[in-house]
Amino acid sequence: MKTIKSIIKISIFVWLTFLSVGCSNDDTSTEEEIIEEEIEEIEEVEIDDADFEAKDWTDETHSKSADPNFDEVFEDNAVKRLDIVITETRWQTMLDDMTATYGSFGGGSGGSGLIETDENPVFVPAEVFYEDIEWYRVGVRFKGNSSLQSSWQNGILKLSFKLDFDEFEDDYPQIDNQRFYGFKKLSLKNNYDDKSMLREKVAGDVFRNSGLVGSHTAFYTVYVDYGEGPQYFGLYTLVEEVDDTVIDEQFSDDDGNLYKPDGDAASFASGTFDEDEYVKKTNEDEADFSDVQSLLTAINDETRTTDAETWRSNLEIVFDTDVFLKYLAVNTVIQNWDTYGRMTHNYFLYNNPDTGKLTWIPWDNNEALQDGKRGGSLALDFSDLDDSAWPLIGYMYQDDVYKAKYETYLQEVIDGAFNTSSIQSLYTSYSALIEEYATSEVSGYTFLNSSADFSSAVSQLKSHVSSRNDAVNSYLD
């Protein structure tokens, strides 16, 4: 029987006593040292189910050779169903791992605030079922940051999941390079803090309809059987993973560096460079961070105030400024506080081999389409921004050339991907599509207090798009 090992690092104090005996006399000296070291505690997941036949396997549904089937997996006008079946023992392993990190389920935060951890929740093998087809020994874990911690501590088991279809291929040769209609990895987002359950989906639509690289999304109901039969976990948004098919399918070359910055360095403020905070999702074994370092140097270069043309030229060697300015226009119009400009996370940078330029990719949009928290979403003129703390926005907006491009994109956004009539129609159609699944969520697996919460949240979204179009028109006049 094999085991999967989850490493949990703990710090302990070890007392070591060293005895030294002198050669020239009988004196002895004893030196005590306290050494703090990290010991690895091994949490084991038993592998005792390796003898099976993958009877449902077909090239179209399971093989790496199949192209990603976006029409099947990310259908816009449908609510599909995924079932996850996990053994009782492995489910308990997942829960124990969460308890070790965040405390007892439903136990509250105890006033301690957000618990910072560098460790992801533990993966376990599970079966995934879709349209009566089985995917075998799929890697399943919980995912998220503040949303995961808050949901857990508040006793809500509607948690986000990450699926990796060949995570355990070394333990189960039958699933070598297993895919889900061409997808290796997928995220199931729990629509945390979104009683409309539409924000992740609609914001993603707006980014992609604006011509930006971004994840496909779709609505799914999720049922989990952890030994007591299928339990309805609620309505989720399935999200395409950037480090899987997004760069494979939306760029002609997927060999570039992909970063998911997180921490002070993600601000690109002067003096913040830290390789550890430019988290690599590709080429992890290559210690080359010269592209992000060049971007940090270029954006903060003093030529910005003495020779703007040279500053722009140097910046554009390493950074796709047009993509960023279009992203900035979309993000500021729709409002999204939980990303660059307020928070040092929730975006990717991809060094596109075709151009040699870092390209901005938005990520994690459940907090979009509202004014937001922690100071709220940024004003259209960024008057509430500390320019030096967020130089990609602050310094570029101060430049007349970049400001003019940004304002051109603002107009394009409200005329196109986020115009009032089309988005209100989209809210109407999507809300009608998901209402029965959203309002039938059950206590302990929902963020709704009543079905009225859902209707009210949709109404607020419809008002929001109208007010944002008015705001942009007022700013541009």
Side-chain angles (χ1 to χ4, degrees):
M1 181 175 66
K2 293 191 292 184
T3 60
I4 302 165
K5 296 180 179 179
S6 172
I7 307 300
I8 303 172
K9 291 185 176 180
I10 58 176
S11 293
I12 66 171
F13 287 101
V14 181
W15 288 84
L16 295 180
T17 302
F18 298 95
L19 181 65
S20 301
V21 180
C23 297
S24 58
N25 55 49
D26 293 333
D27 292 339
T28 63
S29 63
T30 300
E31 181 180 3
E32 290 181 332
E33 294 184 2
I34 301 175
I35 300 177
E36 184 178 11
E37 62 180 30
E38 286 186 330
I39 304 297
E40 291 181 344
E41 181 182 281
I42 309 298
E43 182 179 351
E44 297 183 346
V45 180
E46 293 184 354
I47 296 294
D48 56 4
D49 56 350
D51 185 15
F52 70 94
E53 181 182 353
K55 295 181 179 180
D56 287 351
W57 189 291
T58 69
D59 285 346
E60 177 187 2
T61 56
H62 290 67
S63 173
K64 184 180 180 181
S65 64
D67 291 332
N69 189 337
F70 288 94
D71 291 338
E72 180 66 44
V73 177
F74 291 103
E75 186 176 349
D76 281 330
N77 298 309
V79 179
K80 299 191 173 186
R81 171 172 171 163
L82 281 177
D83 283 74
I84 301 171
V85 178
I86 307 174
T87 66
E88 184 176 356
T89 299
R90 288 170 178 167
W91 178 251
Q92 191 60 51
T93 296
M94 294 175 72
L95 300 183
D96 290 345
D97 179 63
M98 288 289 291
T99 299
T101 303
Y102 297 119
S104 60
F105 179 66
S109 65
S112 60
L114 181 65
I115 295 172
E116 299 291 344
T117 176
D118 293 329
E119 301 294 330
N120 287 321
V122 62
F123 267 118
V124 302
E127 276 52 68
V128 171
F129 292 84
Y130 168 78
E131 299 291 346
D132 296 323
I133 303 172
E134 180 177 0
W135 281 259
Y136 307 89
R137 311 307 191 262
V138 177
V140 175
R141 69 168 174 85
F142 298 125
K143 73 176 301 294
N145 188 9
S146 59
S147 61
L148 179 63
Q149 177 178 332
S150 177
S151 302
W152 174 264
Q153 292 177 339
N154 287 316
I156 298 173
L157 207 48
K158 185 187 181 184
L159 305 174
S160 294
F161 293 97
K162 183 163 187 176
L163 309 179
D164 191 326
F165 287 84
D166 67 356
E167 170 72 17
F168 292 113
E169 63 182 1
D170 291 343
D171 299 285
Y172 304 104
Q174 302 95 317
I175 66 162
D176 184 47
N177 288 325
Q178 180 174 233
R179 297 293 187 266
F180 182 80
Y181 289 98
F183 296 89
K184 169 179 164 55
K185 293 184 283 189
L186 294 165
S187 284
L188 283 163
K189 300 289 192 74
N190 65 346
N191 299 311
Y192 172 77
D193 200 28
D194 177 14
K195 294 183 178 182
S196 75
M197 306 188 206
L198 295 175
R199 290 188 182 128
E200 186 81 50
K201 172 66 176 157
V202 172
D205 287 354
V206 173
F207 280 121
R208 294 186 61 254
N209 290 338
S210 297
L212 293 164
V213 170
S215 300
H216 290 79
T217 56
F219 299 114
Y220 278 75
T221 57
V222 175
Y223 290 78
V224 181
D225 182 348
Y226 46 84
E228 301 177 359
Q231 169 64 53
Y232 184 41
F233 267 51
L235 180 71
Y236 283 67
T237 304
L238 187 74
V239 180
E240 181 188 11
E241 288 282 333
V242 174
D243 59 344
D244 186 27
T245 48
V246 171
I247 61 170
D248 286 348
E249 297 295 317
Q250 298 184 48
F251 293 92
S252 63
D253 188 331
D254 63 358
D255 291 333
N257 288 338
L258 177 68
Y259 299 96
K260 189 181 182 187
D262 193 345
D264 289 346
S267 70
F268 284 90
S270 180
T272 61
F273 183 80
D274 185 341
E275 291 182 359
D276 291 338
E277 293 180 351
Y278 294 117
V279 181
K280 275 192 172 183
K281 296 296 182 178
T282 61
N283 305 323
E284 295 96 325
D285 296 332
E286 298 178 13
D288 179 12
F289 295 82
S290 59
D291 44 10
V292 285
Q293 187 165 30
S294 294
L295 173 55
L296 187 146
T297 299
I299 191 67
N300 291 287
D301 193 85
E302 62 183 13
T303 56
R304 177 179 63 85
T305 57
T306 59
D307 186 349
E309 185 175 357
T310 297
W311 175 74
R312 288 192 301 271
S313 178
N314 290 336
L315 180 61
E316 290 166 13
I317 291 172
V318 297
F319 190 44
D320 195 323
T321 56
D322 280 342
V323 167
F324 179 75
L325 289 166
K326 180 179 286 189
Y327 154 80
L328 183 62
V330 176
N331 197 70
T332 310
V333 172
I334 70 172
Q335 297 191 297
N336 182 13
W337 65 273
D338 192 19
T339 188
Y340 188 89
R342 289 290 189 221
M343 307 295 288
T344 53
H345 61 201
N346 285 343
Y347 70 90
F348 287 85
L349 283 171
Y350 181 59
N351 192 335
N352 183 357
D354 287 348
T355 64
K357 298 180 182 183
L358 289 164
T359 302
W360 197 273
I361 304 174
W363 176 252
D364 200 357
N365 299 308
N366 68 292
E367 295 282 2
L369 303 165
Q370 61 177 331
D371 186 55
K373 310 164 190 170
R374 301 194 181 186
S377 301
L378 294 171
L380 290 164
D381 64 357
F382 307 111
S383 56
D384 50 354
L385 181 76
D386 181 345
D387 295 339
S388 62
W390 304 98
L392 293 175
I393 299 175
Y395 292 165
M396 290 181 71
Y397 183 75
Q398 288 179 10
D399 181 85
D400 290 341
V401 173
Y402 289 148
K403 180 181 179 182
K405 288 184 177 181
Y406 163 75
E407 291 176 345
T408 297
Y409 286 135
L410 288 182
Q411 188 68 60
E412 289 182 6
V413 173
I414 63 169
D415 287 343
F418 200 64
N419 81 76
T420 300
S421 61
S422 63
I423 294 297
Q424 287 186 342
S425 295
L426 192 64
Y427 286 143
T428 297
S429 62
Y430 278 169
S431 61
L433 177 69
I434 70 171
E435 182 173 10
E436 65 176 293
Y437 307 101
T439 58
S440 61
E441 290 185 340
V442 297
S443 178
Y445 300 85
T446 186
F447 302 105
L448 298 178
N449 297 312
S450 68
S451 59
D453 284 352
F454 173 77
S455 299
S456 175
V458 173
S459 294
Q460 290 172 15
L461 287 175
K462 290 181 177 180
S463 297
H464 175 265
V465 64
S466 178
S467 68
R468 293 309 293 163
N469 274 253
D470 289 345
V472 173
N473 284 322
S474 177
Y475 166 82
L476 292 174
D477 285 346

